[in-house]
Amino acid sequence: MEYQLVKIRTVITEDAEKTGLSFLEGEQDIPFKINRLYCMYEKEKNEQKGFHPNKHSWQLLFCPHGVIEVLVDDGTKREIITLDNPDKGFILHPGIWREITWKQKHSVLCVAASGHYEPEKLRNDYDLYLEFIKNNKLLEQNETSEFLGEEAV
């Protein structure tokens, strides 16, 4: 599965109940150019969003407040990543399916993305996603076979 957990620099004050500071710096903490930053929030627990891959966009996801679970799926393996601390985040590579669940009321999810907002390109059909993954694997296999001088299987 193509993602990396990252530590977000966080300064906790003496009164951690009231204030704290988490920050990231472009080209130091994030291995891609940020073209979009957005935050999502839900007022209720167990709300869900996502249900799509970002085919060409890298993303850094982090939860500065609350608890959010992100199910990531590469077509063969599924994992749940829990974002429950402002110093925890993860970088999601392009082409990974994601489903987001708010586990605590009023939680906030922030996302720094390499791609611009293109809602017309979002496809939230899991079967189409699996077909996309299968076709990409076949394409990669054929390209490798051609490179090695073998016949495509």
Side-chain angles (χ1 to χ4, degrees):
M1 182 100 45
E2 302 243 17
Y3 72 86
Q4 291 94 33
L5 295 176
V6 294
K7 178 140 178 79
I8 296 173
R9 291 183 275 175
T10 300
V11 178
I12 303 295
T13 62
E14 289 179 28
D15 187 358
E17 291 290 318
K18 291 185 179 179
T19 187
L21 169 72
S22 297
F23 65 95
L24 298 158
E25 295 180 336
E27 300 178 27
Q28 288 187 25
D29 301 316
I30 303 171
F32 56 85
K33 179 183 174 190
I34 299 171
N35 284 311
R36 180 169 46 117
L37 177 65
Y38 62 95
C39 297
M40 300 186 318
Y41 50 90
E42 284 294 335
K43 295 180 180 175
E44 297 300 323
K45 185 176 164 182
N46 292 321
E47 291 293 318
Q48 293 186 299
K49 291 193 183 303
F51 298 96
H52 63 81
N54 289 290
K55 291 182 183 177
H56 307 290
S57 185
W58 290 75
Q59 296 187 332
L60 169 75
L61 294 87
F62 63 100
C63 178
H65 177 74
V67 179
I68 292 174
E69 287 183 350
V70 182
L71 179 140
V72 292
D73 181 335
D74 66 0
T76 57
K77 185 177 177 186
R78 303 183 106 183
E79 291 182 41
I80 292 178
I81 299 166
T82 301
L83 299 174
D84 56 0
N85 194 311
D87 71 353
K88 186 192 299 184
F90 72 100
I91 295 171
L92 190 59
H93 293 226
I96 304 293
W97 181 270
R98 67 184 175 104
E99 299 175 11
I100 304 160
T101 304
W102 274 252
K103 300 308 284 184
Q104 186 177 45
K105 289 172 112 180
H106 303 289
S107 296
V108 177
L109 178 68
C110 294
V111 181
S114 65
H116 294 284
Y117 183 55
E118 299 176 303
E120 68 279 359
K121 290 189 176 181
L122 294 178
R123 300 286 184 259
N124 55 1
D125 182 319
Y126 187 71
D127 291 330
L128 284 176
Y129 170 70
L130 292 176
E131 189 175 315
F132 167 78
I133 293 298
K134 179 182 171 187
N135 289 339
N136 276 354
K137 286 183 181 176
L138 286 174
L139 181 62
E140 289 171 11
Q141 182 181 16
N142 287 341
E143 288 173 351
T144 303
S145 296
E146 288 174 19
F147 178 77
L148 295 174
E150 301 169 356
E151 287 187 31
V153 179

